[in-house]
Amino acid sequence: MDKLSTRKALVQARLDMPDRLERADLLQQVMRIWLVGSPHEVIGAYWPIKGEFDPLPALYRWQEDAVLGLDALAEALPDQAEPAQLANESMASRSPRKIGLPVVNKVHKTLVFHAWYPGCPMEEDAYGIPKPKDTEVIVPTLLFVPCVGYGPGGYRLGYGGGFYDRTLATLSPRPFTVGLGFSQGWLPDMEPEPHDMPLDVVLNDHGVVWPV
């Protein structure tokens, strides 16, 4: 497989999908259902580019669900908390769950994750992609990874920069990795190279693709 031409064709096909918004809604549902019962409380994600699926609405709902659970507990145990006072605090600051977006380390070409929440200050990185500005560094135990394409065994075709592979090699313990992509990105004949690291799970607009 010629990765360069395949990557270019898949990105263009993704941009041209007439039902991309409908597929995105389906993948939002798949992602939210998959997150139910997840033990992870610090999740890394990404800012969508080039027609990628946007994971942030589902993650914000996941973060919000934890706060709603705390509020329900506070109402059941009024001596333990004061919901009226808690309501004045932002959802992100009250939630035990944290969402991070990647910031590129230009020297080592790896990713560091900074806390993100709706409305947080943002700035563009060296590649013109928005990133959180001056928020805390967090270390995710679960990482949602964008897929240009994906194939059997949970292997992913990215943009060719190697940022995720280098980052995963530096993190200990290695975070649980979940690929996100539309069903048009499936590559049944994709063969991994020796340095490729498989994802633990792949989700698309039809459900769980890997493991099967």
Side-chain angles (χ1 to χ4, degrees):
M1 182 181 70
D2 180 351
K3 285 191 174 182
L4 184 62
S5 60
T6 301
R7 183 181 295 118
K8 184 177 179 180
L10 285 174
V11 170
Q12 190 60 53
R14 186 171 65 196
L15 289 168
D16 292 341
M17 280 195 305
D19 58 347
R20 182 153 49 92
L21 293 179
E22 290 83 357
R23 288 175 183 262
D25 287 341
L26 291 172
L27 186 44
Q28 289 283 343
Q29 296 175 38
V30 169
M31 187 177 165
R32 289 190 63 197
I33 292 169
W34 188 87
L35 279 168
V36 172
S38 170
H40 299 276
E41 291 198 332
V42 182
I43 293 180
Y46 58 91
W47 188 273
I49 60 172
K50 300 180 181 180
E52 288 174 339
F53 168 73
D54 184 356
L56 297 177
L59 283 175
Y60 183 63
R61 291 293 297 272
W62 163 82
Q63 189 180 62
E64 187 179 50
D65 287 345
V67 178
L68 296 176
L70 291 174
D71 286 349
L73 179 63
E75 290 178 1
L77 302 171
D79 293 336
Q80 305 299 315
E82 298 182 28
Q85 289 183 350
L86 293 176
N88 293 325
E89 300 179 30
S90 72
M91 189 72 70
S93 65
R94 292 170 57 200
S95 179
R97 297 173 174 175
K98 303 298 179 185
I99 303 166
L101 291 183
V103 176
V104 175
N105 182 315
K106 291 186 288 186
V107 176
H108 299 102
K109 294 190 175 180
T110 55
L111 305 173
V112 176
F113 289 84
H114 285 246
W116 171 88
Y117 52 88
C120 81
M122 302 286 287
E123 62 184 355
E124 290 189 352
D125 67 10
Y127 299 92
I129 301 172
K131 65 177 183 178
K133 181 180 180 181
D134 301 327
T135 60
E136 66 174 315
V137 174
I138 63 175
V139 180
T141 60
L142 185 153
L143 194 57
F144 282 107
V145 183
C147 296
V148 175
Y150 51 92
Y155 288 97
R156 163 185 177 266
L157 178 67
Y159 293 106
F163 289 102
Y164 279 98
D165 286 342
R166 281 190 294 271
T167 301
L168 290 172
T170 65
L171 295 177
S172 181
R174 181 183 184 273
F176 192 86
T177 55
V178 182
L180 296 173
F182 296 113
S183 51
Q184 57 81 221
W186 171 246
L187 298 169
D189 299 324
M190 181 178 174
E191 295 184 2
E193 296 182 30
H195 63 271
D196 288 336
M197 302 176 67
L199 298 159
D200 295 301
V201 174
V202 179
L203 306 178
N204 73 8
D205 40 293
H206 293 314
V208 178
V209 185
W210 172 261
V212 293

